[in-house]
Amino acid sequence: MKQETKCLHSGYEPQNGEPRQLPIYQSTTWKYATSDEMGKLFDLEASGYFYTRLQNPTNDTVAAKIADLEGGVAAMLTSSGQAANFFALFNICETGSHIVASSAIYGGTYNLLGTTMKKMGIEVTFVDQTLTEEELAKAFKPNTRAVFGETITNPTVSVLDIEKFARLAHSHGVPLVVDNTFATPINCQPIKWGADIVTHSTTKYMDGHAVAVGGAIVDSGNFDWMAHAEKYPGLTTPDESYHGIVYAEKFGKLGYITKATSQLMRDLGSIQSPQNAFYLMNGLESLHVRVERHCSNALAIAKFLKENDKVAWVCYPNLEGDEYYELAKKYLPNGSCGVLAFGIKGGREKSIEFMDSLKLCTIATHVADAKTCLLHPASHTHRQMTEEQLIEAGVAPDLIRLSVGIENVDDLIDDLKQAFEKI
Ligand SMILES: *Cc1c(COP(=O)(O)O)cnc(C)c1O
């Protein structure tokens, strides 16, 4: 099946007389006839459902669709994108580990790595993702366990050179984890370019309608944990809490996701509710149609802004002349996303004045949603950062993040025009 068809048919194949739409298994628990049957589930000796904190059929069906769309072997849903990135990394890192991450990543992930995971004794080195391989190699340490980046960064819409980062990670014997939230598997499948693990905030385009916070982790099954066994004891040595199971041995290519569900979810509990997974399933069905419209609208608006003499600068990877145009041509030939960043002449004050004059485009702490919205990262999402950190993350103080929706583009441009006239 092609991606468009997978959006509709992958994951859930109802049999004769079964519901056409995925049922919501709104149940915390499952019933078994004998205690022996249930015991086998707890020992991971048999597969089956017993408690929704670990697994739920609605969630698993949606995860299977996402795995198929990304070209992975297994996937799991999490309660949020934050939980997805935390679980994806914590599944292979522990106290004393080190991570190399792009400094241009989403502010929430920057805080997760730089503040909270640091408190757990996991150290991070943030790197400028545009540096050469030789320069980037200097960031690696003997205790490096993962490399992390975003296909398209939020909010600066920089494109990650996935092949470059995959080569770097693999030459240091560690996996590349890519957050593919903005590109979605419709526009880019990072696994095809060498990424080992892909994460998502499904809150964004996948859900697409701003109704449910969620996340997903997809494993390519390609990273050979046993070949680097000394680095990943969690996957390659016995888990005493499961009678000495060695995940990478017992479950092979499914070991990474099995550990994350049966150990991390068991202990940390950040499940997506089955109800939210159902909303996500509906969002995924139209993902390919929406993403196309988001991209064509965003490109038209990027061109409009570029021509406007009140605009200081515009970043949109598919705009000719953009710093990331060549990388976008390679990794995102059909379009990147609906998000673009721009600055207004007159800086911070004029930007705020402009935003407050908009009528159709709304100010919202959201992005990648059917309705056009925008925010000013320096005063919203990134407000905890110092000026220095803002500059390191490439977030100019005048940066406006515009998330272009799927409205008629002429209506959106009219709204932008009237707001420009007021400043
Ligand atoms: C929003 C976002 C996240 C965090 O996701 P939540 O669902 O809000 O927890 C992570 N990464 C990227 C790229 C995002 O845009």
Side-chain angles (χ1 to χ4, degrees):
M1 289 191 279
K2 306 268 192 308
Q3 293 297 74
E4 295 84 343
T5 313
K6 283 181 188 173
C7 281
L8 289 140
H9 294 285
S10 185
Y12 181 58
E13 289 166 42
Q15 303 303 304
N16 194 33
E18 289 184 353
R20 188 69 196 87
Q21 279 306 91
L22 173 67
I24 305 171
Y25 286 84
Q26 195 70 49
S27 182
T28 58
T29 37
W30 275 260
K31 173 197 152 202
Y32 286 91
T34 67
S35 70
D36 186 50
E37 279 175 88
M38 183 115 104
K40 285 202 172 93
L41 299 176
F42 274 96
D43 284 349
L44 303 182
E45 286 304 329
S47 65
Y49 296 98
F50 56 97
Y51 192 53
T52 285
R53 171 149 42 78
L54 287 91
Q55 278 190 292
N56 174 286
T58 306
N59 293 24
D60 284 356
T61 305
V62 180
K65 188 194 285 286
I66 295 173
D68 196 25
L69 282 165
E70 286 290 6
V73 295
M76 66 193 283
L77 301 186
T78 57
S79 55
S80 67
Q82 285 301 110
N85 283 326
F86 174 61
F87 275 51
L89 292 167
F90 195 63
N91 205 32
I92 49 174
C93 292
E94 56 188 40
T95 305
S97 299
H98 171 254
I99 296 165
V100 174
S102 163
S103 62
I105 55 173
Y106 173 64
T109 315
Y110 189 97
N111 288 337
L112 167 68
L113 293 170
T115 305
T116 298
M117 288 180 75
K118 189 176 164 191
K119 287 181 194 163
M120 299 171 154
I122 298 167
E123 197 196 351
V124 60
T125 300
F126 290 111
V127 294
D128 173 352
Q129 63 181 36
T130 64
L131 293 176
T132 64
E133 271 178 73
E134 212 167 51
E135 288 168 306
L136 288 167
K138 290 179 194 153
F140 285 78
K141 301 180 179 190
N143 57 338
T144 302
R145 296 291 176 264
V147 177
F148 184 88
E150 292 171 1
T151 312
I152 306 169
T153 62
N154 176 4
T156 51
V157 289
S158 311
V159 179
L160 184 74
D161 189 341
I162 303 173
E163 281 192 317
K164 176 175 85 174
F165 271 76
R167 265 196 311 276
L168 261 168
H170 298 157
S171 66
H172 290 85
V174 302
L176 172 63
V177 182
V178 172
D179 181 332
N180 197 35
T181 299
F182 272 20
T184 83
I186 301 303
N187 282 341
C188 181
Q189 293 169 292
I191 290 172
K192 282 198 177 152
W193 299 101
D196 301 285
I197 292 146
V198 171
T199 60
H200 279 278
S201 164
T202 61
T203 320
K204 314 297 165 56
Y205 292 116
M206 283 190 167
D207 164 65
H209 301 80
V211 293
V213 173
I217 307 171
V218 183
D219 181 19
S220 67
N222 293 337
F223 194 83
D224 188 350
W225 307 105
M226 292 310 283
H228 304 282
E230 75 293 349
K231 291 184 178 167
Y232 303 103
L235 283 158
T236 62
T237 61
D239 179 353
E240 294 312 332
S241 70
Y242 278 113
H243 305 308
I245 276 176
V246 176
Y247 293 101
E249 255 175 24
K250 185 168 170 73
F251 301 101
K253 284 184 182 298
L254 304 179
Y256 174 89
I257 291 291
T258 303
K259 175 177 178 283
T261 45
S262 52
Q263 187 193 72
L264 297 188
M265 273 300 179
R266 179 196 64 187
D267 297 349
L268 298 168
S270 307
I271 53 151
Q272 187 165 128
S273 81
Q275 178 91 35
N276 281 357
F278 172 81
Y279 295 139
L280 175 55
M281 187 75 159
N282 285 341
L284 287 168
E285 289 195 349
S286 61
L287 181 66
H288 56 300
V289 182
R290 289 183 288 105
V291 162
E292 213 178 291
R293 174 66 82 89
H294 279 290
C295 292
S296 61
N297 277 2
L299 184 59
I301 288 178
K303 287 177 177 165
F304 161 79
L305 291 170
K306 184 96 182 169
E307 298 295 302
N308 192 305
D309 56 15
K310 288 184 179 168
V311 173
W313 55 271
V314 186
C315 287
Y316 187 65
N318 300 99
L319 193 62
E320 226 173 311
D322 188 86
E323 191 185 343
Y324 293 97
Y325 186 68
E326 291 304 320
L327 282 176
K329 257 194 352 207
K330 175 174 173 178
Y331 294 109
L332 305 153
N334 300 324
S336 52
C337 62
V339 181
L340 51 89
F342 68 102
I344 287 176
K345 286 179 189 162
R348 216 178 171 121
E349 291 88 79
K350 286 281 169 202
S351 303
I352 292 170
E353 216 181 292
F354 167 80
M355 287 178 58
D356 291 347
S357 306
L358 290 163
K359 290 174 179 155
L360 184 59
C361 310
T362 47
I363 298 174
T365 309
H366 199 240
V367 70
D369 150 27
K371 300 183 191 81
T372 298
C373 60
L374 75 174
L375 65 71
H376 182 234
S379 19
H380 307 134
T381 48
H382 289 58
R383 67 181 299 133
Q384 318 300 349
M385 287 192 183
T386 62
E387 287 281 311
E388 216 170 49
Q389 285 173 324
L390 280 175
I391 289 159
E392 195 193 23
V395 181
D398 65 344
L399 185 150
I400 293 175
R401 179 182 76 183
L402 179 66
S403 175
V404 180
I406 55 176
E407 297 93 341
N408 181 296
V409 75
D410 296 335
D411 288 336
L412 296 174
I413 291 176
D414 282 348
D415 190 34
L416 296 169
K417 273 186 188 156
Q418 66 80 25
F420 277 122
E421 276 160 20
K422 298 214 172 92
I423 63 167

